[in-house]
Amino acid sequence: MPSPDSAASAVQAAAAPAALRRLADSLVAGAAHVPSALPREGAAAVALGVSAPGTPLMRACAGSTIALCADGTALDAGEAHAAGARAIGPQTLFDLASVTKVVTTLVAATLIDEQLLDPDAPVQETLEGADARIRVRHLLTHTSGLPAVVPSLEALAAAEGRPERLRAIAAIAPDAEPGTLHRYSCTGFLLLGALLEQIGGAPLPDLAARRILDSIGASAAGWGPAPDPRDCAATEYEDGALLQGVVHDETARLIGGAANAGLFATLPDVLALGGVLAGTADAVALSPSVRSLLLTDQLPDGPSTGAPWRQSFGLRIGQALPGWESAPPGADLLPDVAGHPGFTGTALMADPRTGTVAVMLTNRVHPRRDALVVDEARRELARIAFARPGGTR
């Protein structure tokens, strides 16, 4: 006779697809009336997925590639048709924003495994002009002391050509002593991308395709602009023009093929990427020592993240569930889940212990970045994918 726990798990497993559908629909409903005094949970385009070994793939898609005017009001059917809006499906491309950093991290991991990249080497050994104190591991753990974002987009734009812009990034000085402060830094990842290109001997998009994306069958994934913008979920209106198939992150757009953001991908692409983190993608085999760098806290005695997750090489370790804010420290936290969120409303989470992967793709920055959030939805997706009855794993 099945145990009460196994029976409860079976009930939860049966309910999960319906819960995923409800989550997708609730986000689209939340975006239906964007103008409000405070940001609300919602997104006009949503694709959710959960995969686990031995269980059917769960997917839920909702919304439209273009749904809202610049002022947040909904397009009517005629306006949506004229704009080329398409229903969201598994093959819709989303701007992944900082989930791009997962791909950059995996490129770095393969180079470490091949002993081409030394985590403890000064970046300056490869990139002239970089601060002599910054090590590779500082970039991968966001402890480089570099500013969170590039200090002046105007100065970066004034540099002519991509190589000059990467050199300008290498010349940015830390404003804190490397190794003493955890501060999430897109600037640090841009520097990491420049380093990987020098060591790998090719532009980052080529390295990523050859080392990661092609191997796992992520055939649609690539850096923007997208070949056909109509295949993409639109993001923000910028100076009255809608960004669709164009990189949302301003710095990544200037760089082109940037390490911090700018990758477009479909739901199957990102689920396959999660399989690398979960250890179920045999096509990208990483050594146990390198997987440990990706899947365990790399700052156990160092600076704190100040958040309910820890920092590995390039990834966040530990996923909070709904209600963690009011719970004691450590409660309702999935300690082994690794992944990364993205500013556009995306998230990738993977549990290497069970092989389970959860993906959220949204365009919560449509029509503007301050109108919608998906924070609670990310935690609800984690609960659907990873939590067992009673709030335990």
Side-chain angles (χ1 to χ4, degrees):
M1 181 176 180
S3 69
D5 280 350
S6 63
S9 294
V11 170
Q12 186 190 46
L20 206 66
R21 165 52 56 191
R22 285 195 299 272
L23 180 57
D25 289 343
S26 70
L27 283 169
V28 171
H33 305 286
V34 168
S36 63
L38 296 172
R40 57 189 294 168
E41 287 273 324
V46 180
L48 308 176
V50 177
S51 66
T55 63
L57 173 66
M58 293 190 295
R59 297 190 306 203
C61 300
S64 175
T65 53
I66 306 173
L68 302 169
C69 300
D71 64 1
T73 56
L75 296 170
D76 63 32
E79 291 170 326
H81 178 75
R86 298 178 178 179
I88 299 302
Q91 296 307 314
T92 302
L93 287 161
F94 285 79
D95 184 328
L96 299 189
S98 282
V99 175
T100 302
K101 292 181 174 71
V102 176
V103 176
T104 303
T105 296
L106 289 174
V107 170
T110 62
L111 292 170
I112 293 171
D113 245 344
E114 294 172 18
Q115 298 184 345
L116 296 174
L117 178 64
D118 179 0
D120 294 308
V123 173
Q124 193 185 67
E125 288 185 356
T126 303
L127 288 180
E128 184 179 351
D131 190 284
R133 298 167 293 171
I134 299 176
R135 311 279 170 162
V136 175
R137 73 169 55 247
H138 292 146
L139 302 178
L140 282 159
T141 58
H142 295 285
T143 57
S144 65
L146 289 168
V149 296
V150 172
S152 172
L153 280 180
E154 293 78 9
L156 190 65
E160 294 188 8
R162 187 172 186 272
E164 284 300 317
R165 288 172 180 171
L166 290 176
R167 278 192 281 273
I169 287 167
I172 296 173
D175 56 17
E177 181 66 25
T180 64
L181 171 72
H182 180 276
R183 178 172 57 200
Y184 182 72
S185 175
C186 287
T187 307
F189 254 73
L190 288 166
L191 184 58
L192 176 65
L195 176 70
L196 298 180
E197 291 189 352
Q198 286 294 313
I199 291 173
L204 181 62
D206 294 342
L207 293 176
R210 186 167 69 242
R211 290 175 170 270
I212 309 297
L213 300 174
D214 290 349
S215 300
I216 61 175
S219 58
W223 271 258
D228 187 346
R230 295 172 299 176
D231 295 332
C232 303
T235 55
E236 198 164 13
Y237 287 88
E238 190 174 273
D239 297 326
L242 181 63
L243 299 180
Q244 187 178 19
V246 177
V247 175
H248 179 261
D249 182 274
E250 297 89 345
T251 308
R253 198 187 317 159
L254 275 175
I255 296 294
N260 70 312
L263 186 69
F264 286 79
T266 65
L267 181 61
D269 291 337
V270 186
L271 284 166
L273 183 62
V276 181
L277 305 185
T280 59
D282 295 336
V284 179
L286 299 173
S287 67
S289 61
V290 169
R291 282 188 64 81
S292 179
L293 293 174
L294 302 181
L295 299 175
T296 60
D297 183 7
Q298 295 301 300
L299 304 173
D301 302 313
S304 170
T305 64
W309 46 265
R310 278 94 51 210
Q311 181 71 60
S312 72
F313 267 22
L315 307 175
R316 297 181 180 185
I317 308 298
Q319 171 62 47
L321 294 181
W324 72 263
E325 295 95 337
S326 59
D332 294 317
L333 185 70
L334 305 180
D336 304 304
V337 172
H340 211 289
F343 185 78
T344 51
T346 55
L348 169 59
M349 298 173 277
D351 188 343
R353 295 181 64 181
T354 65
T356 303
V357 175
V359 171
M360 170 180 285
L361 302 180
T362 83
N363 64 342
R364 69 102 196 155
V365 295
H366 179 61
R368 62 179 191 270
R369 65 187 65 192
D370 61 349
L372 297 165
V373 295
V374 293
D375 299 337
E376 290 299 327
R378 281 178 179 145
R379 289 191 278 272
E380 177 63 11
L381 176 62
R383 186 194 65 77
I384 294 168
F386 304 114
R388 293 177 182 170
T392 60
R393 297 178 66 242

